[in-house]
Amino acid sequence: MSRIRFPSGDELTPDQKAVYDEVVSGPRGRLVGPLRAVIHSPDLAARWSRFGEFLRFSTCLPKRLNELAIIVTGRFWNSQLE
């Protein structure tokens, strides 16, 4: 079974390009993980991205403690992607 292919820059629809630009200009700086797959649904990708940014970058925890919580949780669940 093949993987979902990420469209190249010139293959992105205008809606996909808008989401891509929003993600790479934000705190992440690049399109990674599940966002690469959901870019095929720009509306879902935009909502998913904003939700993920909120959870990672807008918590009340200090940045280092927030990152520690992310990696501890990822390790607990044997996650390949935090």
Side-chain angles (χ1 to χ4, degrees), residues 20-30:
Y20 177 84
D21 290 343
E22 180 182 333
V23 171
V24 298
S25 68
R28 283 186 189 95
R30 58 193 175 118

Side-chain angles (χ1 to χ4, degrees), residues 53-72:
E53 281 183 18
F54 177 80
L55 290 177
R56 183 167 181 194
F57 302 108
S58 299
T59 67
C60 61
L61 297 174
K63 183 177 178 169
R64 290 176 57 87
L65 187 55
N66 190 47
E67 290 298 317
L68 179 62
I70 290 169
I71 61 172
V72 167

Side-chain angles (χ1 to χ4, degrees), residues 4-78:
I4 296 174
R5 193 176 71 73
F6 177 66
S8 64
D10 59 334
E11 296 174 326
L12 293 172
T13 67
D15 290 339
Q16 290 171 327
K17 180 74 169 126
V19 172
Y20 177 84
D21 290 343
E22 180 182 333
V23 171
V24 298
S25 68
R28 283 186 189 95
R30 58 193 175 118
L31 190 68
V32 295
L35 280 174
R36 290 177 56 90
V38 297
I39 195 72
H40 291 283
S41 174
D43 188 41
L44 175 60
R47 293 168 191 243
W48 190 324
S49 175
R50 286 187 214 110
F51 180 61
E53 281 183 18
F54 177 80
L55 290 177
R56 183 167 181 194
F57 302 108
S58 299
T59 67
C60 61
L61 297 174
K63 183 177 178 169
R64 290 176 57 87
L65 187 55
N66 190 47
E67 290 298 317
L68 179 62
I70 290 169
I71 61 172
V72 167
T73 302
R75 178 62 191 116
F76 177 82
W77 292 106
N78 293 321

